[in-house]
Amino acid sequence: MFEPDRHFTPSYRPWDEAEARAAIGEIAQDALSAFDPLTLWPAHPQDDDLEDGLGSVYFGAAGVIWALDHLARAGAIEGLPDLAPALAVALARNEPWYGATPYPGHASLLMGDLGIQLVQMRLKPDPGLADRIHAAIAANTMLPTLELMWGLPGSMLACLHMHGMTGEERFIALFREQARKLVGEIEERAEGGIWTQHLYGRHLRWLGAVHGFAGNMAPLLHGWAWLDEAQRRLVADAGARTFVADAAVSPLGANWPATLPAKGPPTLCQHCHGAAGMVTTFADAPFSTPAFEAALLQGGMLTWNAGPLKKGTNLCHGTGGNGYAFLKLHRRTGEVLWLERARAFAMTAIEQVRQARAEYGQGRYSLWTGDPGLAVYLWDCITGEGRFPTIDVM
């Protein structure tokens, strides 16, 4: 049901809010100490030979700046300098890198200018910038669906975030136009609706929270109030039936394969692929069936039984990202057990991030793959809110 070698079973320590607050401060101070206004942040040895100073929300400066600003606004850290000028540098440094990606013409939320501009809008709201963001989102309307990282679902989340920041009705209208395309591309199966991802030169039915079914569902669930009744019925039917039908259930809980048709038992239990991301996404669903609720709990059980991830503490494929499944289940069920499990993962992640900083002699400066994402998770464990960065809040 998962690859044990990717996980470990720690000696869980009792929750200590003071230590969590201290770890947030350590991560923020380390990031500020490593910051250069011209070259931004260095890459990390674990980041697959990425160059220094990238700008994106996913693994670049914009994500780090967003996390620090978010924590400062929440009162988790103090004394944050003005980092808004660095976002112009992030745009300039990201441009040549993004131009060499498979989708240089797409307004990508996680990898491209779109995400960076949203962070600019959060720090320094500007009507002209709002116009440019609207135009970039609109240009994605006729894209193949792709997935959240590169394509249409990410643009729809950007509409949600922009409406939250500006209150402008044009972002509702644009969301609805893109929702018609996304919902219209749901393919019916006996097991429930699904999308085929046209991604990296392959056509596959991915399931996960970044590249697949769950990632496509995320903006539809968060933008539920902007869907019409027919769309809500289609989304609720596809969401509930597919979530249940494609779950692989065992005594350890439920997990989901990365792609369909499954080539064997699921192997990954991360946010990007597997139970953690499926639960984190669908625990926000405004619909319910008994089988759907049971599968959510089984997915949480599998995430707990798998344990923290050896790969690190990060959001995409690390301990902090998996812990969000517990925070979301706590919010949906009201059961304190899930908050306790989220906090148990948090205490383990604090040890992991400190050990990694000592081992590599530096922090890992990115939102989705590094330490700032963990700092946001630790704060959410303190407050019990559970708002996944970029998806739920930006």
Side-chain angles (χ1 to χ4, degrees), residues 101-157:
T101 68
Y103 302 106
H106 296 189
S108 168
L109 175 65
L110 294 183
M111 297 297 193
D113 288 1
L114 177 58
I116 303 171
Q117 290 172 326
L118 284 173
V119 182
Q120 286 184 310
M121 192 72 189
R122 175 63 71 192
L123 269 63
K124 301 287 185 182
D126 175 75
L129 177 58
D131 290 343
R132 294 192 294 276
I133 291 172
H134 185 274
I137 296 171
N140 274 4
T141 300
M142 298 314 295
L143 287 178
T145 298
L146 290 178
E147 35 73 276
L148 186 148
M149 179 175 280
W150 300 102
L152 193 64
S155 295
M156 293 167 66
L157 283 173

Side-chain angles (χ1 to χ4, degrees), residues 101-325:
T101 68
Y103 302 106
H106 296 189
S108 168
L109 175 65
L110 294 183
M111 297 297 193
D113 288 1
L114 177 58
I116 303 171
Q117 290 172 326
L118 284 173
V119 182
Q120 286 184 310
M121 192 72 189
R122 175 63 71 192
L123 269 63
K124 301 287 185 182
D126 175 75
L129 177 58
D131 290 343
R132 294 192 294 276
I133 291 172
H134 185 274
I137 296 171
N140 274 4
T141 300
M142 298 314 295
L143 287 178
T145 298
L146 290 178
E147 35 73 276
L148 186 148
M149 179 175 280
W150 300 102
L152 193 64
S155 295
M156 293 167 66
L157 283 173
C159 286
L160 291 165
H161 295 316
M162 284 299 295
H163 181 262
M165 285 188 266
T166 68
E168 294 179 2
E169 296 294 313
R170 59 177 171 166
F171 290 102
I172 298 179
L174 186 50
F175 176 94
R176 287 175 170 158
E177 182 180 358
Q178 295 187 343
R180 282 192 292 273
K181 178 174 175 59
L182 184 60
V183 174
E185 292 190 8
I186 296 176
E187 303 163 16
E188 184 54 46
R189 308 174 298 157
E191 301 87 352
I194 195 72
W195 285 276
T196 298
Q197 313 305 131
H198 303 260
L199 187 65
Y200 306 140
R202 296 183 294 170
H203 292 182
L204 291 172
R205 288 174 166 177
W206 296 85
L207 273 178
V210 175
H211 297 305
F213 177 77
N216 284 10
M217 276 284 175
L220 299 172
L221 301 180
H222 289 295
W224 190 257
W226 298 353
L227 303 179
D228 62 35
E229 287 302 318
Q231 290 171 330
R232 290 179 185 177
R233 286 193 296 271
L234 282 169
V235 172
D237 177 74
R241 287 204 292 135
T242 299
F243 185 77
V244 172
D246 294 308
V249 181
S250 81
L252 294 174
N255 201 3
W256 285 259
T259 60
L260 297 174
K263 299 178 181 179
T267 58
L268 298 177
C269 180
Q270 304 171 170
H271 179 77
C272 49
H273 299 294
M278 296 294 285
V279 171
T280 295
T281 300
F282 282 97
D284 288 327
F287 49 78
S288 177
T289 69
F292 178 78
E293 299 297 335
L296 280 172
L297 296 179
Q298 289 168 329
M301 184 187 307
L302 190 285
T303 304
W304 175 253
N305 285 328
L309 283 146
K310 294 179 181 178
K311 200 169 184 179
T313 65
N314 63 81
L315 298 179
C316 192
H317 36 261
T319 301
N322 278 26
Y324 268 104

